[in-house]
Structure formats: C-alpha cells, structure tokens
Amino acid sequence: MDIKNNILETIGHTPLIRLNRITRDLPCPVLAKVDYFNPGNSIKDRMALKMIEVAEQDGKLRPGGTIIECTSGNTGMGLALAACVKGYKCIFTTTDKQSKEKMDILKAVGAEVIVCPTNVEPADPRSYYSVAARLAREIPNSFHCNQYDNPANRLAHYETTGPEIWDQTDGKITHLVCTAGTGGTVTGVAMFLKEKNPAIQIWAIDVYGSLLTKYFRTGEIDMSEVHPYISEGFGEDFVPENYDMSVIDHFEQVTDKDGAVMARRIAKEEGLFCGYSAGSCLQGLMQLKNKLKKEDLAVCIFHDHGSRYVAKIYNDQWMMERGFLDVKTFKDIVNARTVKKLLTVTPQHTVSEAVELMKKYDVEHIPVMDGTELTGALSEGGLFQKIFGNPDLKNASVQSAMEPPYPLVDFDTPVERLGSLITRENGAVLAKDEKGDYHIVTKYDVIHSLAK
C-alpha cells in the first residue's frame, strides 16, 4: 500500500509541464515547474517545513511552542500545515495589500493573523517585519521563522526544488526563471543548478517598486527605487540575507499590469490556474525571449495557485479599476464601477428633490421612471437652462421639466458606438443587464474608459 503518514509527506515532487500556446513563438521549449501541486498550494510549503525541522533540531522550537512569522500568505499556509501535524500554535503578520482569500485560508487552518500597513519602512514598529519580531520577544516558547534571513529557506530549495528540476530535465536545463522575493527559491535552486552546470543562466524576475534589481546591478541599496506596487509574493524594500547575488545572472523587472494580465492568459491558454508571481515570471521570460536560442531549455517556476487571487487578478472589476483590462463595451464600464445601482426619480417628484439627489450623489443625469417604464430624463445642463429662465420651476413636478428618455442600447454595445450615441442633447444612454436591471453610461464614463 502507498499511504502517506501525514499531509507533510506530500510536499515536493511537483510536475514539470510544457507550455504550448503562449510560448509557441519562442525558439526553445519552455517548461513550468508547477508548485501549486504542493498541499498548501504553493512552493512555500518546502521551506516552511524545512525551517521548522531545523528549528526543532537546533532546540529553538519546543513542544507546545508558537510559530511566529511575517508572511504574504503562502509561507504561513505551509507553516500552518506543519503546525497542525506537529502540534504548534501559529501567529502570522501580513500586509494590508494581501488578498482576503490568503488571510481567510490561514485562519481556516488555525492561525491567528495580524494585518499591518504596507507603506511603512521595514524598521517601522508598525511594519509586519517589526510586529513579528516584537511578538517573538514577548511570547514565551515562541520561534520567529524569519524566512527572509533564515538559511533554511534556501536550503529547502537546494535540497529539493533544484534536484527535482535537474532530474526532470535530465540535466538539459539551460535557463531558470524565477520571481525574486525572500531570495530563498531563486538562490537555493540556483546554487544547486550552478554546481551541476555553471553555464545555466539564472534569471530573477522583479517588480517595479522593488529595490532588488538596482541592488543586483550596482550593489547599492537605493530607497528612492521603492514605491508601492500591487504585485504579490515577490519584490522587496530591503535585501534579505538569503540572497547570494553571485549565482544570479540577470534581474528583469515586470509591471503590475503585465504580470496580472499574463497570469490570466496562463489560466485561459495553458489551463494552469496560477497566482500573480507566475504571470510575472512568464512575462519576464517573454521580455527576454531574444536572448534564447533553439537549443535552450527554459524552466519557469510557478509558485502558487490562482485561488488566492480570485478577488484580485481574476476579478474583472478589480482589474479594470486599475486600468489592467481594456474597457470595450457598455458592460465593461458598468463592471468597473464600485456602485452599480441606478439612481432614478419618478414623474411625481419635484424638480428640487431631483436636484438634491443630483447634488448628493454627484451625478449629472437621472432617468425618470414610472414603475418599470422609462418616461423621461433629467440632466443638469437642461435643468440649469429651464430654472434660470423660470425660478419657480423648482417647485414643479419632474414631469413638467423632463426631457425625452435616454436611448436604450444593448448591454454589449461597443464603447466606440456609445460615443456616437451620446450628444449635446442626449448626455447618456441606458441598457438592461442579464437580470433586466437598467444601467446608465454618460459622456464622462466613455471619456474615462477611453483615456485609460
């Protein structure tokens, strides 16, 4: 019988999968080391278990102890799984830019999660690094894993991920592509592969807003390079001790948008539902494709599963709000909004009541509805002209001041078509969604969508 004694024995030995569609124009094969097949759905399971095992061996983690770590989510999941099996408690600090799914998953496996601000210096007492360190000092029988500076991080990948990739490619790998965060994965795998074949190229993928790329190129820690970014799981505002830059051959930076869009492409075109870093990893390779030759064999490490990003990169509204997806139709404009309920008035409302609604909700156009029937429209410009000529109109009914109803279009009408339907006399258009609810698009909405 082939039976695992516990969930930790399923960590590692993840598949190497050929990419076919996205990379079809590249001169060489591209393979993905898909580490979301680990039980915690990420590559971090490997180093999480290793850090605990080494801490146990060194006497730093004792029975009934508390594991403390600052994590973007994935390391916490690996640590939490190990804690479940081994009987430890967990307290994790994370940043407010991490997806809600990650935090909820950590809580589901018994961890306590403390959310800290993102946009503070690492040494700030509010940062998730500092809070974790403080808790480790204050809580008896606790162990701060400190994945950034803990050598067990890269040791895990030197002992497992690197050898797996070498064996799975029969030693034919020529390029390793990996996002760079704590430094454990890229350095550990690189150390092993370089021992086997010093000619193997190690390409580290970074994000704009991280200081790692400039540090690699100049040796200078330049805090002016640091600015907020949306990408999750890689990039840093300091240089973790796990890095050995001598085993890395090149750093390549990828934008937040390009990484997110590529992750969605990987899901749709390759059938691999991966996280943000996988998209950035493959995007980085695509930016460097001119450096590849026919005889090469490139391996990209896909760190984690897309389920952690359902409310972010796999959410159309989230993507469009950040300008990451092109707005193409009436439906796209509506989906990009945070508030979707249509504001309307009845023919029996007074003009002054309608004006108050316009001011309260900062809108220029309001459809007039009698029950479920569109009977007219009110516009700020039209009311201004009428009230200017007749101040008493404000006490009259909307019916006496309304304009013709806005044109009704299909929910999937292209943005370019909407532009021709919205005129000086007609400042908006309406459409019904799949549920039969009305939505409005104005001239401003069209201009805003085309300007992104």
Side-chain angles (χ1 to χ4, degrees):
M1 295 186 293
D2 181 12
I3 299 173
K4 305 297 182 184
N5 292 309
N6 57 61
I7 192 66
L8 303 182
E9 293 185 0
T10 67
I11 294 174
H13 305 290
T14 54
L16 198 62
I17 300 174
R18 181 187 297 271
L19 302 181
N20 298 291
R21 297 180 64 187
I22 297 175
T23 59
R24 59 179 173 268
D25 294 329
L26 270 60
C28 68
V30 177
L31 310 177
K33 179 67 167 167
V34 186
D35 251 54
Y36 68 57
F37 280 89
N38 282 304
N41 293 138
S42 92
I43 199 168
K44 298 292 189 175
D45 290 358
R46 299 173 183 264
M47 50 81 89
L49 178 59
K50 189 66 178 179
M51 288 192 298
I52 290 179
E53 290 176 341
V54 171
E56 290 172 332
Q57 293 164 12
D58 294 345
K60 296 178 180 178
L61 186 57
R62 301 183 301 278
T66 299
I67 297 168
I68 297 175
E69 182 60 332
C70 48
T71 172
S72 60
N74 289 328
T75 299
M77 184 62 180
L79 290 170
L81 290 179
C84 288
V85 173
K86 294 173 173 286
Y88 300 116
K89 293 175 285 187
C90 288
I91 300 176
F92 299 133
T93 61
T94 191
T95 65
D96 52 16
K97 80 170 185 177
Q98 305 305 328
S99 64
K100 184 176 182 297
E101 291 88 349
K102 285 183 178 179
M103 300 178 199
D104 289 342
I105 290 170
L106 292 177
K107 293 175 184 177
V109 289
E112 178 182 347
V113 180
I114 299 173
V115 181
C116 304
T118 300
N119 298 326
V120 294
E121 298 290 334
D124 189 296
R126 297 169 296 167
S127 77
Y128 79 140
Y129 312 107
S130 298
V131 173
R134 175 178 59 79
L135 291 172
R137 292 191 301 269
E138 296 175 351
I139 298 175
N141 191 18
S142 64
F143 172 66
H144 182 198
C145 295
N146 188 14
Q147 60 181 308
Y148 300 92
D149 301 331
N150 190 332
N153 181 348
R154 70 187 196 186
L155 180 61
H157 300 292
Y158 177 85
E159 292 181 343
T160 67
T161 319
E164 287 176 27
I165 292 172
W166 179 260
D167 292 342
Q168 287 171 315
T169 62
D170 290 331
K172 295 178 182 178
I173 177 176
T174 61
H175 294 75
L176 176 82
V177 189
C178 179
T179 50
T182 68
T185 304
V186 66
T187 301
V189 176
M191 290 171 65
F192 178 86
L193 294 178
K194 290 282 190 179
E195 287 181 5
K196 290 293 187 179
N197 178 6
I200 294 174
Q201 291 290 293
I202 308 298
W203 291 348
I205 308 304
D206 198 11
V207 61
Y208 288 97
S210 163
L211 56 68
L212 293 175
T213 296
K214 185 168 184 179
Y215 177 78
F216 170 80
R217 294 171 181 171
T218 67
E220 176 187 359
I221 296 178
D222 184 359
M223 296 306 295
S224 68
E225 289 285 304
V226 177
H227 58 78
Y229 52 87
I230 298 172
S231 300
E232 290 186 42
F234 64 106
E236 295 294 348
D237 52 6
F238 71 106
V239 182
E241 292 180 14
N242 265 301
Y243 276 99
D244 179 353
M245 294 296 183
S246 70
V247 296
I248 300 175
D249 298 286
H250 179 77
F251 259 78
E252 183 76 8
Q253 287 180 297
V254 172
T255 67
D256 290 327
K257 176 180 178 179
D258 288 345
V261 171
M262 181 60 78
R264 291 167 65 107
R265 286 191 62 191
I266 293 171
K268 289 183 178 179
E269 298 179 41
E270 302 290 348
L272 296 172
F273 190 42
C274 300
Y276 213 140
S277 62
S280 299
C281 182
L282 185 54
Q283 175 62 30
L285 174 67
M286 299 300 285
Q287 292 175 192
L288 297 167
K289 62 183 179 182
N290 292 335
K291 295 180 178 289
L292 297 171
K293 302 184 294 295
K294 183 178 180 180
E295 59 271 22
D296 289 334
L297 178 63
V299 174
C300 292
I301 293 183
F302 287 0
H303 284 72
D304 65 353
H305 196 260
S307 58
R308 310 268 164 89
Y309 308 88
V310 170
K312 289 193 170 183
I313 59 175
Y314 293 107
N315 179 283
D316 287 352
Q317 178 179 325
W318 187 91
M319 291 285 285
M320 285 188 285
E321 284 174 354
R322 286 151 186 82
F324 290 179
L325 283 187
D326 293 333
V327 177
K328 299 176 180 179
T329 67
F330 189 112
K331 180 179 180 179
D332 292 335
I333 293 175
V334 172
N335 286 341
R337 294 175 180 158
T338 54
V339 179
K340 297 183 172 66
K341 184 174 177 59
L342 180 65
L343 180 66
T344 65
V345 292
T346 68
Q348 290 75 39
H349 275 99
T350 64
V351 171
S352 62
E353 289 173 330
V355 171
E356 285 301 313
L357 285 173
M358 287 179 165
K359 288 168 58 179
K360 180 178 179 180
Y361 293 100
D362 192 25
V363 297
E364 296 183 14
H365 302 276
I366 298 184
V368 181
M369 296 191 69
D370 192 358
T372 59
E373 183 182 355
L374 289 168
T375 58
L378 290 178
S379 69
E380 189 177 71
L383 283 178
F384 174 80
Q385 293 295 333
K386 292 177 180 177
I387 294 176
F388 188 77
N390 180 13
D392 294 333
L393 185 66
K394 63 183 180 181
N395 299 316
S397 68
V398 163
Q399 187 169 14
S400 64
M402 65 185 186
E403 304 159 26
Y406 298 126
L408 197 59
V409 300
D410 290 334
F411 204 43
D412 290 320
T413 300
V415 170
E416 292 78 6
R417 172 64 177 152
L418 298 179
S420 65
L421 293 172
I422 297 175
T423 64
R424 179 180 297 180
E425 295 76 23
N426 173 58
V429 292
L430 297 172
K432 277 186 179 180
D433 63 18
E434 298 87 347
K435 298 178 182 179
D437 296 327
Y438 284 105
H439 299 273
I440 189 169
V441 164
T442 67
K443 177 172 61 177
Y444 171 80
D445 292 326
V446 174
I447 292 172
H448 183 66
S449 68
L450 295 176
K452 285 187 176 181

